[in-house]
Amino acid sequence: MERLDKYIADRTDYSRKDVKLLLKKGAVTVNGKSVTDAGMKIDPEKDRVKAGDRELVWRRNTYIMLNKPDGYVCSTRDGQSEIVLSLVPDDLKNKDIFPAGRLDKDSKGFVFLTDDGALAHRILSPKKHLTKCYLVRLAEKYSEEYEDAFASGLTIDCGEKCLPARVCGVSHDDHFSLVGLDEGKFHQVKRMFSAVGNEVVSLFRVSIGGIRINPDLAPGECLEILDNEIEKMLSEFDFSDVRKFVETSFYLLLTNNDL
Ligand code: URA
């Protein structure tokens, strides 16, 4: 059973505030009857909910963690290159699955695929500030000076200004760094390191919001993410937790993914 207001906000582009207004206006119906109680418990498999002009149809969505290898593109079709969808096994695949967010063709790591358009919209929305973390191998040694530069919002090439970002070194190897970004400009990590005089040799996405990649997942392999973990992805992020995870799993990530 789920709270009515949360059920609607999770499955539409209405915010919780919009849902409150719709309820107040009597524009929400459950099984044809107008409802104003935001906390009403509904059974998504049985109850028919309408909010404004939108009918919410229940179906189980698919959520996938892919460990993207080098050489695949994050789009639904591409004439030239292999696409990440070709790595999804048949038992997880359906025609509506797509990658929610992109990694460059030569980047590796966590790509989230789903058939849940509303959730993908929330993940990609700049307003949600879902932090994505990258483990980066650098051409030159990491410098602690990057921390203030990244935190104050770097200006990258063409004068583009970045949001404040977090960065730290990795104790095992001074050519590695962990970066946390709340946005996703084109080639952003590469351009940020280039702005501070360094160069990205390889880039691996470690986490999206509160979900970290399974370090045992081989390149090209997928795992299904369960519904209860999706909530964690949206709400529980802590940079120092990701840092601890990287420190602990460093050699496993390195060798499994040829970083
Ligand atoms: N930043 C980059 O430069 N490349 C990626 O693939 C992701 C973030």
Side-chain angles (χ1 to χ4, degrees), residues 102-104 107 134 181 185 187-191 203:
R102 283 167 190 261
L103 280 180
D104 296 338
S107 298
Y134 303 86
L181 299 186
K185 299 185 193 301
H187 294 333
Q188 184 163 350
V189 175
K190 293 171 186 161
R191 291 160 73 205
L203 187 152

Side-chain angles (χ1 to χ4, degrees), residues 1-206:
M1 301 293 272
E2 280 193 50
R3 265 184 75 102
L4 179 60
D5 54 352
K6 183 171 182 307
Y7 175 71
I8 299 170
D10 283 352
R11 285 160 185 82
T12 62
D13 50 6
Y14 291 131
S15 64
R16 284 290 262 274
K17 211 165 147 198
D18 297 332
V19 175
K20 267 209 178 80
L21 281 175
L22 288 170
L23 284 158
K24 219 172 168 182
K25 283 199 296 189
V28 174
T29 61
V30 176
N31 302 322
K33 286 198 192 112
S34 177
V35 172
T36 52
D37 176 11
M40 177 184 176
K41 290 279 191 285
I42 58 127
D43 180 346
E45 286 186 51
K46 293 203 188 108
D47 293 321
R48 279 187 34 241
V49 177
K50 236 181 133 183
D53 55 1
R54 274 159 244 192
E55 173 113 41
L56 279 77
V57 182
W58 185 85
R59 74 187 161 116
R60 191 169 288 290
N61 285 112
T62 302
Y63 307 111
I64 299 167
M65 170 188 290
L66 163 71
N67 183 1
K68 177 189 157 334
D70 187 9
Y72 285 77
V73 294
C74 290
S75 65
T76 43
R77 68 180 90 100
D78 188 290
Q80 315 287 308
S81 313
E82 286 269 28
I83 56 173
V84 287
L85 283 171
S86 68
L87 297 165
V88 179
D90 285 344
D91 59 330
L92 286 180
K93 210 182 241 166
N94 70 48
K95 67 172 177 37
D96 295 325
I97 285 185
F98 63 99
R102 283 167 190 261
L103 280 180
D104 296 338
K105 186 174 171 182
D106 63 353
S107 298
K108 304 172 185 180
F110 187 178
V111 171
F112 179 69
L113 297 116
T114 186
D115 52 4
D116 184 341
L119 179 75
H121 177 78
R122 291 179 67 189
I123 290 172
L124 299 175
S125 159
K127 281 193 221 133
K128 297 283 172 201
H129 293 300
L130 205 66
T131 309
K132 292 162 186 115
C133 292
Y134 303 86
L135 176 62
V136 183
R137 183 195 278 274
L138 298 166
E140 308 298 331
K141 280 186 185 169
Y142 175 79
S143 158
E144 281 180 3
E145 285 170 17
Y146 301 158
E147 286 156 36
D148 282 346
F150 277 49
S152 55
L154 269 183
T155 302
I156 50 180
D157 52 297
C158 309
E160 222 175 323
K161 178 98 177 149
C162 298
L163 290 175
R166 270 160 294 189
V167 66
C168 64
V170 176
S171 63
H172 304 278
D173 189 318
D174 54 15
H175 280 76
F176 276 86
S177 170
L178 176 70
V179 190
L181 299 186
D182 293 341
E183 57 179 346
K185 299 185 193 301
F186 183 63
H187 294 333
Q188 184 163 350
V189 175
K190 293 171 186 161
R191 291 160 73 205
M192 287 172 91
F193 279 104
S194 152
V196 292
N198 210 321
E199 194 192 328
V200 170
V201 176
S202 66
L203 187 152
F204 181 86
R205 182 150 68 199
V206 178

